Amino acid sequence: MTKSFGEVLDKYRGIGPGFDFLRIGLAFSIVLTHSFLLTRNNDFIRGSVFWFTEYALVPMFFALSGFLIAGSAQRLSLRNFLINRSLRIVPALAVDIVVCSLIIGPLVTIVYHAEYFTDPRFFKYFLNIVGWIHYELPGVFQDNPSQRVNGALWTVPWEIFCYIIMSFLMITAIVKTRYKLLAVTIAYIVIGLVVQKMPYLLPGSIKPIARFLFMSRGSQLITAFMMGIVVFQFKAVIPHSRWLFAAACLVCLVAILTLDSQATESVMNRPLVITSLLYITVFIGLSEVPIPAFFRKGDYSYGVYLYHDPFLQIWISSFPSVFLYPKYGALALYLVGLPSALAVAVLSWHFIEKPILGLRKKFSFIAQVRGVEDGNQAGRESHVRPPVAVKS
């Protein structure tokens, strides 16, 4: 008899055995995609079946996030929830911004240091810590195909926006009422369809805002996040089925072959494709997937995501003739860039992220159960939780 997502989660005491593999696998895949996009291989990625990596990888991260933090959103007060998320996200992000602006930037800039440290772009770069994204530092990576110091930061405002949405769901108690939650999620998608297919119904002044909030690539992340919350709430009735997993993979395959890169800003495909990606994400997260012991010592995925772009850019800047060679240069970049980012991610986890978990004991159920010394498990605060009543 097929078990539900909820039954599988209970079997493993709330800790999905495949989530470690999923996080690091997604992070490594994003590094590979960016290795191509940063080396003038945009046409190769976006003009081939590989376009789907841009569509799928980051939304899968957000779907995973929605599923995992839904439990803590019900268990914690709004204040403690926000403190919990801030302590998990902000410290590593802040260190990344400081490292890029005060170490990497001065080392690779082509302008004098006096000019570098007085340029408005230097000061504005620190606004990234609060989600106001600025990509450039004065004279940094000027000869690279992309001058962005860290293009991966584009997701930070959307992550903050998702937490604002979660705060609203907590304040209104919608997060505890699964059918209301489902209705809100469906409404968000329906509004997006209206904005896309019937824009003439909207006043001209709000059309750009509506497109941004409901049709943009970032809005795709909101859809995935909200769907992740819904799946968590309905986990008791959603089967953990290999047949459904295969069907979801088939939907994605059809999407790969019939859609193109413009699909990231189309709402029409999201109800089916994002739902399929979400099912694949949770199915893998709740499955026993082998992973090297090294990756069980810490959650390095966040650090890899934060640091990979700057280090890829450093390698490109240092050896442009090697890494800008069509296609093969991108693969070479991945082979050196990934270990570089992983090494810094390991340091980030053990010296920044894991120690911060000690401050989250009050808010993190798993940290209370297992203690800060098991930092990797503490990083999954929403996998293990006390029983939570969910209204229909």
Side-chain angles (χ1 to χ4, degrees):
M1 182 177 178
T2 302
K3 294 183 177 180
S4 68
F5 280 166
E7 289 173 323
V8 176
L9 204 57
D10 291 339
K11 173 185 174 182
Y12 293 106
R13 300 174 56 196
I15 303 174
F19 284 120
D20 283 335
F21 168 83
L22 191 61
R23 273 191 290 260
I24 202 66
L26 287 173
F28 282 15
S29 299
I30 288 173
V31 178
L32 178 60
T33 301
H34 286 185
S35 295
F36 279 88
L37 294 178
L38 289 172
T39 52
R40 298 179 183 146
N41 288 285
N42 300 45
D43 292 341
F44 171 70
I45 290 292
R46 292 168 181 161
S48 67
V49 295
F50 296 108
W51 73 268
F52 198 67
T53 59
E54 280 198 285
Y55 184 98
L57 295 177
V58 178
M60 289 176 75
F61 254 130
F62 273 68
L64 177 66
S65 176
F67 181 84
L68 295 181
I69 71 172
S72 60
Q74 295 174 80
R75 185 183 70 252
L76 301 176
S77 67
L78 176 62
R79 173 179 175 272
N80 287 353
F81 171 80
L82 293 176
I83 292 175
N84 188 20
R85 300 317 305 161
S86 297
L87 290 176
R88 180 65 186 98
I89 301 300
V90 174
L93 173 63
V95 172
D96 169 74
I97 300 307
V98 170
V99 168
C100 287
S101 57
L102 297 182
I103 298 178
I104 295 176
L107 287 176
V108 304
T109 185
I110 61 174
V111 302
Y112 290 111
H113 284 170
E115 181 181 347
Y116 176 87
F117 287 110
T118 56
D119 192 295
R121 287 174 293 176
F122 168 75
F123 297 102
K124 290 179 180 178
Y125 196 78
F126 289 93
L127 294 173
N128 288 316
I129 297 174
V130 295
W132 188 356
I133 304 304
H134 293 77
Y135 293 110
E136 296 186 7
L137 282 168
V140 176
F141 304 136
Q142 291 300 296
D143 295 326
N144 287 11
S146 171
Q147 286 74 52
R148 291 184 171 188
V149 177
N150 192 346
L153 295 179
W154 78 272
T155 62
V156 173
W158 293 102
E159 187 170 10
I160 294 173
F161 194 19
C162 284
Y163 294 150
I164 292 173
I165 291 173
M166 180 63 88
S167 299
F168 167 78
L169 296 177
M170 292 173 67
I171 292 172
T172 58
I174 291 176
V175 73
K176 296 182 179 180
T177 311
R178 56 187 180 182
Y179 286 109
K180 289 182 180 179
L181 177 64
L182 179 62
V184 170
T185 304
I186 292 174
Y188 180 78
I189 296 173
V190 170
I191 293 172
L193 290 172
V194 171
V195 172
Q196 180 180 353
K197 294 299 182 181
M198 294 180 283
Y200 52 84
L201 297 178
L202 303 173
S205 58
I206 69 168
K207 283 183 181 179
I209 298 175
R211 291 180 63 87
F212 179 74
L213 291 177
F214 296 97
M215 282 185 58
S216 67
R217 187 184 176 194
S219 69
Q220 182 191 30
L221 306 184
I222 294 177
T223 303
F225 180 80
M226 294 180 67
M227 284 185 173
I229 303 172
V230 170
V231 168
F232 178 86
Q233 297 291 45
F234 283 89
K235 63 186 181 299
V237 297
I238 300 176
H240 187 260
S241 167
R242 292 182 179 180
W243 290 106
L244 287 178
F245 176 76
C249 291
L250 180 60
V251 169
C252 291
L253 178 61
V254 172
I256 291 171
L257 298 176
T258 59
L259 301 177
D260 56 33
S261 60
Q262 295 181 350
T264 56
E265 296 190 0
S266 173
V267 183
M268 290 294 294
N269 57 73
R270 293 178 186 175
L272 187 57
V273 182
I274 295 296
T275 299
S276 298
L277 288 172
L278 174 57
Y279 191 90
I280 292 170
T281 299
V282 179
F283 182 91
I284 294 174
L286 297 178
S287 302
E288 294 185 4
V289 185
I291 186 173
F294 172 78
F295 294 107
R296 297 192 181 278
K297 296 179 180 179
D299 182 4
Y300 306 135
S301 58
Y302 184 44
V304 168
Y305 184 81
L306 279 180
Y307 283 99
H308 77 274
D309 250 35
F311 279 88
L312 293 179
Q313 289 282 59
I314 290 172
W315 283 109
I316 295 170
S317 178
S318 301
F319 304 98
S321 61
V322 175
F323 299 120
L324 294 182
Y325 191 84
K327 298 181 183 177
Y328 297 106
L331 294 175
L333 178 63
Y334 180 70
L335 292 178
V336 298
L338 179 61
S340 303
L342 180 59
V344 178
V346 170
L347 295 175
S348 174
W349 172 260
H350 289 289
F351 293 99
I352 300 168
E353 299 167 62
K354 181 178 176 180
I356 292 295
L357 295 178
L359 302 176
R360 298 200 308 156
K361 270 192 167 185
K362 178 179 178 182
F363 317 116
S364 175
F365 177 74
I366 193 166
Q368 297 171 16
V369 173
R370 300 191 174 185
V372 179
E373 67 274 10
D374 188 359
N376 184 37
Q377 299 297 329
R380 311 168 189 144
E381 76 286 352
S382 55
H383 294 206
V384 174
R385 62 205 179 283
V388 177
V390 179
K391 299 178 183 178
S392 296

